[in-house]
Amino acid sequence: MNEELRIKAEECYSTDEQRAAGYYQTLYKQVKEGSYIPVLIDEIQLWKKKHVHHRPILSFLIDKKRNPNSKDYYRYIQWLDNKGKLDNYLDRSISYIYLRDLGRTLDAPETQIRIKDMVGNIKQRLTAAVDEREIFSMAGLYRWAQKEGIEDTLIWLINKMKIVSSHIPNGMDAEQAQRKLIKIIAGVLMHVIEEMDEELTSEQRTMKLDEAIRLGYSYGLTYPFIDDLQDSNILSEEEKIQFSDLIRTTLLTQSVPEINKWSGENIDLITYIHAELREAFEYIKKKLSPEVSVKFFDQSYVFFHSQEVDRLKDLSHDNYTNEELYVPVILKAAFSRLIVRSVISADEDEGFDNRTFYYGIYNQLADDFTDMFDDLDAGSVTPYTYYMKYRNQRSDLINPYELYWTVISNLIRKVYHSDPKACEVILDRAINSLKRCKERLGIEKYKEVMDIFASGNPEFNRIIQQMVKKAEDVDFFDKLLRDHMLSMLRKERKEREEFSN
């Protein structure tokens, strides 16, 4: 490999690593000073006026008994509509997507118009459905594709997804892999639609939508076939090193190398993945504008290398510093989303870049909190698993749960400048995440977790747990859709297996 290319990539990574280290130091200072606590208490006191209602306990218990479970997808949507809650439910859900995935500010007039239009469109579709089979069904998706002139693209995608699903080996979660891939495709599609000029002809719009779906698939394929594969136990350690070398060489040389010699028993799987990823890589490369190409490869390398640095940590090592734990997390979380605008060759947007850079670790810490017991069983190093294992031995370790709330405080005040809508949506999401955790773990296990992570600030924790217990109207459509999608994918797989048997 060209030594010059390697040095250039390392310099690029070092620059972004310094920026992430600076962000970490800002957060570290706020954690140590506890300055995030009064900020959040003030914001929660305002926020709870909309979400904590003082009602007779009997009325609350009757409502709780009658309310449909959110897992009952269709009935839950109907119930929200009948209660007059559907508009707010969709509004906070779409607003959150504009914050997290599209990197927008919610106080911008054009963003408010787009959110309002999207809420209206989704509500009309949800309320017009006769039963759950009509909500985001394949038939409905195909009708949309017909309207946009991209039926062939949709058929291509469905066939690709079926092939991908059939090649996901035992030991990996096929449904989660498919869900992530669909999510990435939808995210890229949304970015492209948001960037579209209203003056485009129908032919130009069709071409852009076709490209968006193909680019989304090409980028999204890296999640099941790089991230998930490397995190699983499918490949041997030697195979993982070989696979990482292939990816690193591709990003540095901008060309996919051949598999000349492969040491390991997974050669058939790797041959398929190599061919599919090469096709995806060549498609993205072909569509990149010359101005964006350099940025795309720089961002891709930072994303890949930060993931590798993080993945190669060993939970048995007791001497990782806080910076070693958090800086790669900041980088991989930010660049996984920053790269999307490069994939679609979008214009430079400094505001998007900054907001996405600071927002990423919020998502990552929330995801790691959800997955911490699975990660602990797998021996994976995350801020939560490392803190759980070494908190009694290492007084210098930062509590990741405290850092999580510090990030939220920083986002509300410094990134979104106390915009009421941004504050509303971020706190909705944080409280909903804890509610879901409590439901998933059960009261006793949840209390154990809070005793580990939240005992350092008992007064703040008391306020948070009150919100977890009493707050209403904090659930999100994307979570409902995710649960529904996983349920449908698992049902489909089970039916295929039964038919095969």
Side-chain angles (χ1 to χ4, degrees), residues 221-240:
L221 206 60
T222 62
Y223 280 78
F225 286 157
I226 297 180
D227 300 356
D228 291 351
L229 182 65
Q230 290 285 65
D231 287 341
S232 72
N233 294 318
I234 306 299
L235 303 182
S236 67
E237 287 306 312
E238 186 180 355
E239 286 178 311
K240 286 182 179 182

Side-chain angles (χ1 to χ4, degrees), residues 47 96 362-372 384 401 404-405 408 425-441 446 449-450 464-465 467-468 471 474-476 479 482:
W47 173 87
Y96 183 71
Y362 167 71
N363 289 311
Q364 190 63 52
L365 286 174
D367 290 346
D368 286 346
F369 182 75
T370 300
D371 299 335
M372 75 178 136
Y384 290 97
Y401 181 77
Y404 168 75
W405 284 107
I408 289 173
V425 171
I426 291 169
L427 288 178
D428 286 351
R429 193 73 173 193
I431 298 301
N432 181 57
S433 179
L434 290 176
K435 276 179 171 286
R436 286 171 66 93
C437 176
K438 189 175 183 179
E439 182 182 348
R440 185 176 66 253
L441 297 179
Y446 176 77
V449 169
M450 288 298 109
I464 293 298
Q465 298 313 321
M467 298 305 102
V468 172
V474 293
D475 48 345
F476 284 78
K479 293 290 187 186
R482 184 192 74 169

